Amino acid sequence: MLATSEHPLYLLPFLLIALPHPVTCPWTLQPETVSDASGNEADNGSSVTWAKTPPGEAYVTSTEYRTGYLTVPVVFAHCFINLVQPNAFPIDIVTGIVDNTFVFSRDYKQLLNYGVGIIICIVIGLLFAVLMPIIGCCFCCCRLAGKCGGKRVQKIGSNDCCKKIGYVVCLGVITTIIGFGAIGMFIANERMTDAVRNYNTSIRNSFDDLRRYLGNLGQELRHIGATNFNFTTEVISRDLDGRGFLVGIPVRDRLDESADVSAVISQLLGIGNTAGSVGDQLMYLSDSIAQLKNDSATLDQSFKDVRSTVDRAQRSPGCLVLCQNIDVSGLRLDVDFQNLNISSQLDAIEEVKSADLNGIILKGKETFDNIPSSIVEETENLVEDLKNSLRNFLAKIEDNLKGVLALPQKFDSQVVNIKSKVLNVIDMVVKYNTARWLACLCMTLVTALVVVLQVFGICLGVFGYRPSVKPIDRTALSNSGGNCLMAAVGLIKIFAGLMMLANVILFAVGSNAEKLICEAVVHDTQYTVIKKLLDGPGGILCPGCDTYTLGDLLLGNGTIPLRISETLENCRNNQPAYPTLKLQYLVNLSAVTDYRKEIDIDAKVNAMNVDLTGVELLPSKAMDELNELLVSTQMNYSSYNDTLSGNVTSANITDFIFALEAAANDSQDPAKSELLSASNQLKDIEHGIYKTVKQEQDLLFEAINVFYSRASELELRINDSINSTQIAERKIQTLGPAIVKEQVGWLAARLVTVADGFVNYSIHEIESNVGRCLSVWNIWQSLGDVAVCKYTVDTLNSFWVSIGCVLLLMVPSIIFDVKLAKHFRRMESTEQFDSRPIYPQDIVKTQAIPMAKNGKEKAKMFASSKITPIG
C-alpha cells in the first residue's frame, strides 16, 4: 500500500495540471452567402456581385426589309425624283399653313418654286394622257381613210429584209423591257397589297412595343431601385443579425489578446485542477499519519511488554548482579506522533472540491465568452430600429417609382384615341385596297396583254414569213402575227391615256411622299423638319399649344420638355431612358438611391454601446475557494519536521538485546528465562514494528517536505493568478469600450460600403444602362422607314416608274408595230415583187395590182400586169 522511495507514486497528483477545454464558438454568419432570385449575390465579406438587369418582355417589331426585284425601279424612282425636285423641304410654307399665315395669292410663288419639277412632270403626263387618245383616234381615222399605212399595199425595196430584221429586233427589245415593266407592276401591286394587309399588325405591334418598352423600363427601374435595395437590406440585415460574429467575437478575441484572458483562465483552471491533486496528497498524508500513529502505538505497547518482562525477571529468583543492573526506563517512544493532525486541511480541501472550483472559474469565463451574446442582446432594439428604417426607405422607393410604373397605363389612356383613329383609317384603307388592287391589276394585265400580243405578233410573223412568197400570198401565220401587232397598237391607243392619268396621280402622291415624308422626316438624320414642326411647343400636331406633344403622349405630362428629335437621336444611339425620356421629372433619382437622407447607418451603428462591467473572470465565490485552497496547504511544518525528524526512541535496541542476553547468561532460572524472553521480544520489535515505524516516519517526513514545496509553489501560483486576473479585468474595463467602438465602427463602415455600393451601382445603371431605347428607334424605323417609306412609298414609286417606262416605250412600240405589221400582214396589192435577188439593173417600175379574189384571177392579173424597167 505504501510507496517506496524508489517509486514515489504519491508525487503524481502534483504533476497533473489540467488544460482548459477549447471553447466551441456558436457564432457564425448565417447565411454565409446571400443571394436572391434575380441573381444578386453577396459573400461573407459583404462584397456584392450585382446581377444583370432582367431584359423584360421581348419586342416583336421588326425592321427587316428586302427590296427584292424592285431594287432597280426604286433606285430609278429616287434618282428621278431628286432630279426633278432637288429643292429642300418647304418648312416655311408648312409653318405658314399651320399658323394660318400662308396666303396663296401672295405666297404661291414659293410653292411653285418648290414643286416646279414635279408640276412640269405632271403637266407632261396630263398632256400625254389627253393627247394619246386624241392621237389614237386621229390615227384610226387616218388609217380608215386609207392614209397612215391604212392601204394594204406594200412597196417592195431592196432593203426590206434588213428593215424587217431591224424592226423585229427593236420591237423585241422594247417588248422585253415592257414585259419587265409589267412584271414590276405586278410585283409592286402585290407588295402594296401585302403592305396594306400588314398595316394593322404593324401599327398594333408598334403601339404594343412602345407600351412594352415603358413597362420594361418601369420593371428595370423597379429592379434597380426596389429589388436591389431589398437585396441590400437583406445583406445589411444579415450583417446586423451577425453582429455577434462580426463585432462580438472580434471584440472578445482582441480583449483576450490584450488582457491575456486565455492565459489567466488557463492558470485558474490549472489551479482548480491542482485542488484535486492537493486533496489526494492530503488524503495520502492523513492516511500515512494514521498508520504511523497506529504503528507507533503498537511499538509503544511492545516496549511496555518488554519492560514488564524485564521487571518480572528482576523480581524473580536467579536474577544476579547483571540482571539487577539492567535499566529499561529508556526503552520507550521519544516522539509523540499523536500530535500530528491535518483534519482542518482535509476539511478545507473537501470544501474546495465540493464547491467545484473549476466550475466557478468556468462560469466566470462564460461572462467573458458571452461578450458576443451581450452585444447582441444589448443592441437588439437599435438593430430592429435600423431594420425598420430600411423597410420604410424601401417603401419610399416604391412610392417614387409609381410614376414610372404607371407609364404603360398613362400611355394607354393617352394613345387609345390615336390608336383607334389610326386603325380606323387602316381598316378603311384595307377595305378600299381591293379596288386599288383591281385597278392596278387591270393596268398590269393590259400591259401584259400588249406584251403578249407583241410577242405573238413577232413570233407568228417571223415563223410564218416565206421569202419566196408574194406579199399578197403571205401565210395565215404571218398575217395573224401582223394582226396581233395591230391589236397591240389598238390596246395602247385605248388604255395608254388612262394609264398615264393614273400614273400622274401615283407620281404626284409618291414623289411628294418621298420628298415630304421619307426624305425630309424619316431619313433626315438632322431632324430639321421634326424640330421645327413636331417637337413643340405647338407645331402641326398641336397648333397653338404650349405643351410638348411627346411628353404628353408618353409621360402624361406635356410640360416635360421631351422632344421627338432628341428622343429619336438618343434612341438611334441606344442611349438609356433616364436622360433620353427626361425621367428626372418623374423619378427623383436621389430619393430612390440616396438613403443617407432617411437613414444614417453610420450614426445608428456607432450608437451601439456594450456594458462590459458584467465580465468577471474571477467571481468572489472563486476567490473564497482559492483562499480555502490556500488554507488546505497551510500547516505547522516546523513542528511536523521536528516530530518526524526525531528518533523514535533514545534507547539502542541492539545494545539492550546484548545486555539482556549477557544478564541472562549471568542469571539463573526463572530470571534467565524471562530475560531471554525479553531479548527475543526486542529482536522481534527491532526487525518488525520498530523498523516499520521508522520507515513510516521517514516517508512521512519526506512527503511533508514535498507537500510543503508544492504548497509554497501553489500559493505563489494562486497569488499570481489572482493578480493576473485582476489586471485582466481592469484591462477589459479600460480597453473594452474603445475596442467595442472601433469594431462597431468597422461594422458601420462595412454596412455603409454595402449601401454605397447599391447607390453607386444604381446611379450608374440608371444613367448608363436602364431602358436603352434602341427598341423605340426600331419602332420608328418599322413604322416610318419600313412600313411607310419602303413598303408603301417605294412600292408606289416603283409602280409608277414601271408604268412610266412602259408608257414611254409604248410610243416607239406603236411605230414598230405598225411598220412590222406591214411586213407580216397579207397585202391587197404590191408595187414590186421578185422572188430572185434584186439587182440595180433589174429594178423596174410596177403598176398597182388589184387584189384578186381567187387563184385564177391572181394568175390572170399577174400575167396581165405591166412591168416597166426603170430608166
Side-chain angles (χ1 to χ4, degrees), residues 729-748:
E729 288 180 345
R730 284 196 298 270
K731 286 185 177 180
I732 289 173
Q733 301 305 322
T734 55
L735 299 178
I739 293 176
V740 169
K741 185 175 182 180
E742 183 178 347
Q743 197 62 33
V744 166
W746 173 84
L747 176 61

Side-chain angles (χ1 to χ4, degrees), residues 519-579:
E519 183 178 313
V521 178
V522 178
H523 297 153
D524 182 18
T525 57
Q526 301 300 320
Y527 309 105
T528 305
V529 175
I530 294 178
K531 288 178 181 178
K532 293 188 176 181
L533 299 181
L534 302 178
D535 275 350
I540 61 174
L541 296 179
C542 186
C545 297
D546 58 352
T547 59
Y548 294 87
T549 304
L550 192 58
D552 187 35
L553 182 66
L554 289 182
L555 307 181
N557 187 350
T559 61
I560 297 177
L562 185 60
R563 296 176 176 85
I564 298 176
S565 59
E566 291 181 2
T567 302
L568 289 176
E569 178 62 22
N570 289 333
C571 290
R572 183 166 70 94
N573 297 323
N574 198 22
Q575 294 298 310
Y578 193 79

Side-chain angles (χ1 to χ4, degrees), residues 695-756:
Q695 286 179 346
E696 289 176 351
Q697 180 188 19
D698 293 340
L699 289 174
L700 186 57
F701 178 79
E702 184 179 356
I704 288 293
N705 287 322
V706 171
F707 185 80
Y708 173 73
S709 64
R710 297 298 183 186
S712 300
E713 181 183 350
L714 180 60
E715 183 177 2
L716 291 175
R717 288 174 58 196
I718 291 174
N719 293 330
D720 183 61
S721 297
I722 293 174
N723 185 48
S724 298
T725 303
Q726 292 173 346
I727 292 173
E729 288 180 345
R730 284 196 298 270
K731 286 185 177 180
I732 289 173
Q733 301 305 322
T734 55
L735 299 178
I739 293 176
V740 169
K741 185 175 182 180
E742 183 178 347
Q743 197 62 33
V744 166
W746 173 84
L747 176 61
R750 171 174 167 139
L751 299 181
V752 169
T753 299
V754 174
D756 287 345

Side-chain angles (χ1 to χ4, degrees), residues 127 143 165 258 288 381 599 621 634 646 656 674 741 785 787 837:
L127 289 176
R143 287 184 65 85
I165 293 172
S258 300
S288 298
N381 294 334
I599 314 168
K621 178 65 174 175
Q634 293 173 356
F656 255 100
E674 292 291 341
K741 185 175 182 180
D785 187 41

Side-chain angles (χ1 to χ4, degrees), residues 38 124 149 161 211 250 278 302 413 427 473 484 512 608 632 770 777:
S38 61
I124 293 174
C161 184
R211 185 185 187 280
V278 170
S302 298
S413 62
D427 292 338
D473 293 326
C484 287
N512 282 289
M608 291 183 180
S632 68
V770 170
W777 171 257

Side-chain angles (χ1 to χ4, degrees), residues 598-618:
E598 302 291 335
I599 314 168
D600 193 347
I601 296 178
D602 195 7
K604 284 183 177 291
V605 175
N606 279 309
M608 291 183 180
N609 189 20
V610 181
D611 184 11
L612 298 177
T613 57
V615 178
E616 190 177 13
L617 299 179
L618 188 61

